[in-house]
Amino acid sequence: MARILLVEDEKDLSERIAERLKLQGHQVLQVFDGLQALQKFEGFAPDLLILDVMLPGLDGLSVCRRIRAFSFVPILMLTARTGELERVLGFEVGADDYVPKPFSLLELEARVRALLRRGKPMQEEPLDLGMLEYAGCTLDLASRQVRVQQQPIELTRREFDLLLYLVRHPGRVFSREWLIRQVWDEDYQGMDRTIDTHITRLRQKLAGSLLAEKIVSVRGLGYRLEAQS
């Protein structure tokens, strides 16, 4: 059973989602605007946040950005907008997945299960919490912070996970599909360009570092982190 904070201002839709999740054994707290979400988040301590983009008062992207400043809780965003730009913005501020409206409750359940499985190891696994160094970059696994030449770099949860996976497997070429399965979840059904978007953001945030230069595209195959010489 998981604790799920559901932030959706369409009350009929919120009720249908909450009822379905409760049937799966989850505890669901429903709120209907962005400010309520921030007020309830800490006290409720959710295992998953389901967050509508279009909310009265404080919009979902702003809520996501604020929560990402202090929490790595999985965030699933709901949106009536289908444009790629909005999805990219959502990933940039820290969303883990998107479900476009209208959606089936079966699909939503599958996304919820996938995110909860991804979130659990990070909360329960106390192992391997040391430091990794690669090409002038330091990854602190305990605090999940990245530094380049001692300067902190702000990464989202998925950006950190993707960089960590590449650093742990230098010199190997990985397809987009493989990286999706390893860094997201084998059931993840996100858009095809999810990996491209995250790689682009990583390169931008690490710009000027040797590490950024070592993340290379392999035409027709995927991506590789070049081995250190």
Side-chain angles (χ1 to χ4, degrees), residues 175-226:
S175 69
R176 293 168 178 81
E177 292 77 11
W178 178 267
L179 290 171
I180 285 284
R181 290 198 300 270
Q182 300 302 313
V183 179
W184 274 254
D185 187 275
E186 60 183 7
D187 295 332
Y188 179 76
Q189 299 294 322
M191 61 180 180
D192 293 340
R193 294 189 60 191
T194 294
I195 290 294
D196 296 337
T197 298
H198 281 72
I199 290 289
T200 297
R201 295 299 303 167
L202 272 177
R203 287 169 170 161
Q204 290 173 346
K205 292 182 178 183
L206 299 170
S209 71
L210 179 59
L211 182 60
E213 298 174 5
K214 285 186 173 293
I215 303 174
V216 299
S217 305
V218 181
R219 187 179 180 86
L221 295 176
Y223 293 97
R224 178 184 69 238
L225 180 68
E226 293 184 337

Side-chain angles (χ1 to χ4, degrees), residues 35-212:
L35 289 176
Q36 274 189 315
L38 293 176
Q39 291 167 357
K40 297 293 185 180
F41 184 88
E42 186 172 356
F44 185 61
D47 301 301
L48 173 71
L49 173 62
I50 300 178
L51 180 63
D52 188 26
V53 171
M54 300 297 292
L55 293 170
L58 195 65
D59 66 84
L61 292 175
S62 299
V63 173
C64 182
R65 183 183 296 108
R66 293 192 187 187
I67 287 177
R68 266 298 166 261
F70 63 87
S71 173
F72 286 110
V73 66
I75 298 177
L76 173 62
M77 301 202 78
L78 311 177
T79 179
R81 299 176 179 175
T82 57
E84 183 181 35
L85 177 60
E86 180 170 83
R87 292 197 295 268
V88 170
L89 287 173
F91 288 129
E92 184 176 339
V93 298
D96 294 289
D97 197 3
Y98 255 95
V99 176
K101 297 178 180 180
F103 53 82
S104 74
L105 292 178
L106 282 175
E107 178 186 5
L108 183 68
E109 286 178 18
R111 301 291 183 97
V112 166
R113 286 195 299 271
L115 287 176
L116 288 173
R117 282 199 298 270
R118 279 296 303 167
K120 187 175 293 185
M122 295 180 65
Q123 295 168 6
E124 295 181 352
E125 182 180 305
L127 305 176
D128 194 17
L129 297 182
M131 309 280 281
L132 285 178
E133 295 188 4
Y134 200 92
C137 173
T138 302
L139 286 76
D140 185 328
L141 305 188
S143 65
R144 295 180 59 82
Q145 292 182 340
V146 174
R147 291 182 176 272
V148 175
Q149 302 298 335
Q150 304 305 315
Q151 297 300 311
I153 305 296
E154 293 293 332
L155 299 183
T156 68
R157 174 187 175 183
R158 290 304 187 201
E159 289 166 354
F160 183 92
D161 289 345
L162 179 57
L163 180 61
L164 177 59
Y165 190 80
L166 291 174
V167 167
R168 281 176 164 167
H169 303 88
R172 295 178 57 183
V173 178
F174 296 107
S175 69
R176 293 168 178 81
E177 292 77 11
W178 178 267
L179 290 171
I180 285 284
R181 290 198 300 270
Q182 300 302 313
V183 179
W184 274 254
D185 187 275
E186 60 183 7
D187 295 332
Y188 179 76
Q189 299 294 322
M191 61 180 180
D192 293 340
R193 294 189 60 191
T194 294
I195 290 294
D196 296 337
T197 298
H198 281 72
I199 290 289
T200 297
R201 295 299 303 167
L202 272 177
R203 287 169 170 161
Q204 290 173 346
K205 292 182 178 183
L206 299 170
S209 71
L210 179 59
L211 182 60

